[in-house]
Amino acid sequence: ELAREPAPPGTGWLHDVKFLPGRQGVVVASFEREPLVLACQDSKWSWKDSFARFEPHERGTSGLAVSPPGGFIAASSFNHEVSLWNLEDFRFEVRFFGHLDEAWSVAVSPDGRTIASGGQDRLVLLWDSRWRPPDQRIEGEFRVSDPVFRREGRWLALRGQEDRVEVWDLRDNRLVKSLPDAGSPLCFTESD
């Protein structure tokens, strides 16, 4: 065991955690507040209130994703938006609006250029991380689960109704495969 989580400040159910690239630390989402950073300094782990300007997430954070190149953190929230935060100093960068209801989950493509967000509106929106409006949307009966990108970013796996996993080709917004009773997608294998 490397660390045991100290008691978090304030209240809130902690429900999503992502490692911070190149650092000894994790970012944690809470249903009732802004994300927190649990970081190691001098062999001691402690909570950091790093996201000082997290006002848009008044109702908490529903999902987190860290861009693989390490440039930003994407956060989905209950107030229908997705926001990006600089990973160096946790400074707010941009807010994306497009969901018609709560945004529940978020993922970042392996190259860091595309953000996928899923919401209670049963839409999956694809955003350009260079701050452009969504140029793609996938409509369906999707459930709460992080979208999963294939390593080259061309395919996206989503959790459908009745534990079905759907694999979509993002080049032409086409359903490639539907896997019944597969549960939630976790990752693509190297041979996929």
Side-chain angles (χ1 to χ4, degrees):
E1 182 176 284
L2 298 177
R4 184 176 295 274
E5 174 192 325
T11 62
W13 180 25
L14 305 179
H15 65 92
D16 196 0
V17 61
K18 299 291 187 284
F19 282 99
L20 295 171
R23 301 185 193 178
Q24 286 190 320
V26 294
V27 61
V28 182
S30 168
F31 279 137
E32 296 177 12
R33 61 171 297 160
E34 74 279 3
L36 292 166
V37 173
L38 181 60
C40 180
Q41 187 171 12
D42 299 326
S43 299
K44 294 186 179 175
W45 289 78
S46 61
W47 292 101
K48 311 288 183 194
D49 286 315
S50 301
F51 293 86
R53 294 186 55 240
F54 225 86
E55 296 92 350
H57 289 66
E58 293 173 5
R59 294 182 59 200
T61 306
S62 53
L64 293 170
V66 178
S67 67
F72 62 87
I73 294 171
S76 57
S77 75
F78 298 111
N79 61 348
H80 309 192
E81 71 181 44
V82 173
S83 57
L84 302 188
W85 300 81
N86 185 295
L87 194 55
E88 288 299 314
D89 55 9
F90 305 103
R91 179 177 34 86
F92 171 76
E93 290 188 347
V94 67
R95 186 174 302 125
F96 295 126
F97 294 101
H99 281 287
L100 306 174
D101 210 326
E102 296 173 351
W104 281 345
S105 58
V106 65
V108 181
S109 64
D111 64 4
R113 294 185 63 171
T114 304
I115 299 155
S117 61
Q120 190 171 356
D121 54 9
R122 299 180 180 173
L123 294 175
V124 173
L125 299 179
L126 295 152
W127 312 86
D128 187 322
S129 66
R130 294 164 295 177
W131 306 6
R132 297 186 182 134
D135 55 2
Q136 261 182 287
R137 60 192 274 159
I138 301 172
E139 298 185 37
E141 298 287 324
F142 302 113
R143 301 188 62 185
V144 178
S145 177
D146 287 343
V148 176
F149 283 94
R150 190 173 176 205
R151 67 183 168 277
E152 85 294 328
R154 186 181 116 195
W155 287 1
L156 187 68
L158 304 168
R159 182 179 180 196
Q161 293 294 319
E162 299 173 5
D163 289 328
R164 181 181 67 247
V165 170
E166 295 182 2
V167 179
W168 290 77
D169 189 325
L170 300 180
R171 292 178 304 177
D172 54 8
N173 232 36
R174 176 177 52 92
L175 179 64
V176 176
K177 185 82 173 165
S178 182
L179 306 166
D181 300 317
S184 294
L186 298 176
C187 67
F188 284 92
T189 64
E190 290 298 316
S191 60
D192 288 337

